[in-house]
Amino acid sequence: MPQIPENPRVLVTGASGYIGGRLVPELLEAGARVRVTGRHADSLRAWDWSDRVEIAEADLSDRMAVRRAVEGMDVVVFLVHAMGGGKGYADREARMARIVADETARAGVRRIVYLSGIHPETEELSEHMASREQVARILREGRTPVVVVQAATVIGAGSASFEIIRHLAERLPVMPAPRWVDNRIEPVAIADVLHYLTAAATAPDDIAGTYDVGCGEVLRFRDLLTRYAEVAGLRRRRVIPLPVPAPLLSGLWIGVVTPVPARTAIPLAQSMQHEAVPHDRPLSDVVPAPEGGATSYEDAVRAAIASQKAGDLASTWDDDDTMDTDPAAPLPPDPDWAGHTVYTDERERTDPAATPEAVWTVIEGIGGRNGWYSTPTLWWLRGVMDRALGGYGLARGRRDPRRLRVGDALDWWRVEAIEPGERLTLRAEMRMSGRAWLQLGVTPAEGGGSTYHQRAVYFPDGLIGRLYWWAIFPFHALVFPAMARNILKAARTAKG
């Protein structure tokens, strides 16, 4: 097998996800020529690096799409994983792995780099971790050499693991916890994960095998909480282990206390039943270690806290890197609504004192800490209901306090489309019997000022969906007019 060239052609799958979105610029900096794939090309085009890469929209369960994506590549970085992907996700991941293994061999790809998790070799694994190991096994059985990079808890601003640690430590001075908090674990900084993935993808030598990465210190999970508190300047935290494993209950508990919903927290909690201590060769045996050596846990936490405070989140745990089915397909054009039951709530207000630029600034800054410019109590109650049903509620917030891009999570919405200065389309990801969107827009008003446009669209599923709409209709009569009124008010204030 020929060596990897000096400027390799690298395909990054799941490039709009937490790891992928951060890895792409690292690969570009290392001289790689990068092609990226994701299920939605628009989400990929929204990244700052999009004009420096080749974009290929592809679902990894589509063999022909994968065949086109891997053609001409030297290296494929496999980052797609369905955290909380619903029933049958392990089978879907296995199918994707087989397709990637087959098509990379067919195309003559020289190396696959796969990010997996550290786990014990002798215990029965959780479904989440077993699926990751199954993918690694399938890839290794193929003809393309594979570098499996195994990491435990990744510490970085916006990662699911870090958000769990941060919120538990900040909100609970005393934490009754399941007994797995005494399990041993070696965390790793996101910066080191990116370094090693880049090194594994661009290394000229023929390398293959399973390797571990970490911070160089084995801790207990409870130490991650107490040491976070020390670094963050909080009072000493007490963690009290209880004599029960309770993976389901602890996942639900995490889902209540942190922004990570139960459907994601439960598989994470189940995986925490296992110790995550490196036992394979360190990857630094075959590629260079980060300059200055491994990042300590405390330094990784400091970097993550600094990024959070600065609002410098290139990506978050809920970016679109999974293969979960979208809660709603893209909003169809109005003519396509014919023959369907569709409910809408449309508002339009003109304000001669608010400039279009000021109104757009308010629209693009909506959600998260900025709120929804409506009746806060009703909005909060709807968020509580959604969390109780296993949804996101208002806990996700937003990645950037001022700017949005396609694919961004925004509380219980996701940015489906954005026309800067004109219109924002949000797709609902709340728990309900139907599909919903919210559009906010602005146009210059004749004679000066602005006309604000607001439209909520709901496609109900069956009788329950129709009952849902009429049950919340009285609340819409309060929420939506207030939103339109207050957005214009905020725009006038900003203008002044």
Side-chain angles (χ1 to χ4, degrees), residues 8 32 69 80 108 160 193 236 248 253 255 286 303 307 313 320 337 365 408 460 484:
V80 176
V193 172
R236 181 180 177 184
L248 178 60
W253 171 59
V286 293
S307 293
L313 295 181
D320 191 20
W337 296 359
D408 270 359

Side-chain angles (χ1 to χ4, degrees), residues 465-489:
R466 291 170 171 82
L467 292 175
Y468 167 81
W469 174 265
W470 291 112
I472 63 172
F473 184 78
F475 299 99
H476 286 175
L478 297 173
V479 168
F480 289 140
M483 178 182 291
R485 184 172 59 251
N486 292 333
I487 283 176
L488 287 174
K489 180 181 178 181

Side-chain angles (χ1 to χ4, degrees), residues 168-355:
L168 290 179
E170 290 183 353
R171 296 182 178 183
L172 301 175
V174 178
M175 287 175 273
R179 67 188 183 202
W180 50 254
V181 294
D182 277 334
N183 284 352
R184 295 178 302 159
I185 187 170
E186 185 172 325
V188 60
I190 180 63
D192 291 356
V193 172
L194 298 176
H195 167 86
Y196 278 118
L197 288 174
T198 301
T202 58
D205 299 329
D206 295 336
I207 59 173
T210 300
Y211 302 92
D212 294 333
V213 297
C215 70
E217 181 182 12
V218 176
L219 305 169
R220 298 193 182 275
F221 192 84
R222 60 156 63 190
D223 298 328
L224 305 188
L225 301 170
T226 57
R227 290 195 184 187
Y228 172 90
E230 292 175 8
V231 172
L234 304 174
R235 292 183 179 180
R236 181 180 177 184
R237 267 37 184 169
R238 293 186 60 200
V239 181
I240 305 173
L242 302 176
V244 291
L248 178 60
L249 289 177
S250 56
L252 293 172
W253 171 59
I254 290 171
V256 170
V257 177
T258 80
V260 180
R263 64 176 180 174
T264 299
I266 289 173
L268 281 174
Q270 289 172 338
S271 297
M272 291 172 187
Q273 309 303 304
H274 313 301
E275 295 198 325
V277 179
H279 51 75
D280 284 296
R281 290 179 64 189
L283 189 52
S284 57
D285 281 359
V286 293
V287 299
E291 186 176 354
T295 305
S296 70
Y297 174 68
E298 284 80 1
D299 284 344
V301 168
R302 288 188 187 95
I305 291 174
S307 293
Q308 292 276 6
K309 288 182 177 178
D312 181 23
L313 295 181
S315 57
T316 68
W317 61 271
D318 196 45
D319 282 314
D320 191 20
D321 64 329
T322 73
M323 58 184 181
D324 294 303
T325 301
D326 284 339
L331 177 64
D334 292 12
D336 292 347
W337 296 359
H340 296 276
T341 299
V342 182
Y343 298 118
T344 63
D345 185 294
E346 300 193 49
R347 312 278 168 172
E348 185 174 289
R349 295 175 68 97
T350 296
D351 191 322
T355 66

Side-chain angles (χ1 to χ4, degrees), residues 75-94:
V75 178
V76 171
V77 182
F78 192 106
L79 296 176
V80 176
H81 180 65
M83 176 66 71
K87 186 177 180 180
Y89 77 84
D91 291 338
R92 296 198 302 277
E93 287 193 332

Side-chain angles (χ1 to χ4, degrees), residues 363-400:
I363 289 174
E364 192 174 8
I366 201 165
R369 293 184 179 180
N370 296 329
W372 290 87
Y373 300 93
S374 186
T375 49
T377 301
L378 293 178
W379 208 262
W380 175 81
L381 284 173
R382 185 61 182 89
V384 170
M385 290 171 55
D386 194 53
R387 290 288 283 178
L389 294 172
Y392 297 109
L394 299 175
R396 288 193 298 186
R398 48 182 293 155
R399 178 188 58 85
D400 185 296

